[in-house]
Amino acid sequence: MGCTIDNLSMEETLQTIEGFIASGRPHQHVVVNVDKLVKAQHDLELRQIINECALINADGMPVVWASRLLGKPLKERVAGVDLFEALMARAAEKGWRVYLLGAKEDIVSRVLQLYQARFPKLVFAGYRNGYWTAGEENAVVDQIAAARADLLFVAISSPKKEQFLGAYQARMKIPFAMGVGGTFDVVAGKVKRAPVWMQKTGFEWFYRFLQEPRRMFRRYFIDDMAFFGLLLKEWRRR
């Protein structure tokens, strides 16, 4: 469907990221789900940013199932929220410096407090909410660059987070930068994550819809329906 995906397990992904951090050079990460694949069909800038990322994971069971149907099976789903959790634990173990960017002030500060309590050895290079004007953007970028973090997690919506990292990652020089969408809201308890059985059976999106039906209806029941047409087109080309 026009987007590259690295065929890696969670552990292989973590090992790859560890190599990125050891190198000290900037790397951008992205997860691909149904919504992002659909957006990338008409947003050529987003598609280019995705395909230029150093690491691309599949976040969403429908993407994994589609890969199997098309004869190019992915090893597993590497969900952004699960990767974030694993990286925070590994950062505490390895002494990596973490920067949190995004969400509302009360949410991002709550996430920081929760992880400080969970991992006393975890080092935070800094944090900032996800709201700034166009005129403030350069100052935000400079603030992040000056923090000299090893890991940057960006909790703003798509495609804004991909565009932000695509534009500034080289300037911020963060060894590993990752967009995490609504992960901070989940960690802080504002949004509940679906039960494990729903995650494994591909119905996590429906659980999210039930929590925010007005906001998520168009995405799930109108925009993302284009995925089935894309899948059929790819299947016919096999």
Side-chain angles (χ1 to χ4, degrees), residues 97-99 124-127 140-150 172 174:
R97 293 166 56 82
V98 173
Y99 197 105
F124 283 96
Y127 77 98
V140 171
V141 172
D142 289 341
Q143 176 185 343
I144 296 169
R148 294 168 48 215
D150 297 301
M172 293 186 294
I174 309 292

Side-chain angles (χ1 to χ4, degrees), residues 10 58-61 77-86 182-183 185-200 203-208 211:
M10 174 64 81
D59 183 351
M61 285 308 299
R77 174 194 184 197
V78 181
V81 62
D82 294 332
L83 182 56
F84 171 76
E85 292 270 1
T183 294
D185 288 338
V186 173
V187 172
K190 180 181 177 182
V191 174
K192 292 183 180 180
R193 194 173 182 198
V196 174
W197 72 266
M198 294 188 84
Q199 297 174 35
K200 291 183 176 180
F203 283 97
E204 189 166 12
W205 65 272
F206 187 67
Y207 191 84
R208 179 72 187 278
Q211 292 183 76

Side-chain angles (χ1 to χ4, degrees), residues 34 38 205 219-230:
V34 166
V38 170
W205 65 272
R219 169 177 169 175
Y220 290 138
F221 291 100
I222 299 177
D223 296 342
D224 288 359
M225 289 297 104
F227 176 76
F228 296 102
L230 294 171

Side-chain angles (χ1 to χ4, degrees), residues 33-165:
N33 55 20
V34 166
D35 188 63
K36 210 164 292 180
L37 280 172
V38 170
K39 283 184 169 68
Q41 302 308 306
H42 53 80
D43 188 337
L44 299 184
E45 179 191 12
L46 175 61
R47 188 193 301 184
Q48 181 178 350
I49 291 171
I50 290 171
N51 288 332
E52 289 179 353
C53 282
L55 183 59
I56 308 165
N57 288 125
D59 183 351
M61 285 308 299
V63 177
V64 176
W65 291 333
S67 74
R68 295 170 183 169
L69 181 64
L70 297 172
K72 298 180 180 179
L74 294 167
K75 293 178 181 177
E76 65 176 324
R77 174 194 184 197
V78 181
V81 62
D82 294 332
L83 182 56
F84 171 76
E85 292 270 1
L87 284 171
M88 293 295 271
R90 195 155 296 195
E93 176 189 335
K94 300 285 185 179
W96 297 335
R97 293 166 56 82
V98 173
Y99 197 105
L100 304 177
L101 175 68
K104 293 182 179 179
E105 182 68 25
D106 61 323
I107 295 294
V108 66
S109 60
R110 174 66 175 158
V111 172
L112 184 144
Q113 291 165 6
L114 287 170
Y115 276 101
Q116 282 179 325
R118 191 181 307 178
F119 302 113
K121 293 184 178 180
L122 184 57
V123 179
F124 283 96
Y127 77 98
R128 193 196 189 285
N129 66 60
Y131 297 86
W132 60 81
T133 65
E136 295 172 322
E137 189 152 283
N138 276 313
V140 171
V141 172
D142 289 341
Q143 176 185 343
I144 296 169
R148 294 168 48 215
D150 297 301
L151 299 167
L152 169 65
F153 297 106
V154 183
I156 54 180
S157 61
S158 290
K160 291 181 180 179
K161 62 179 179 291
E162 289 82 13
Q163 293 167 342
F164 177 82
L165 290 174

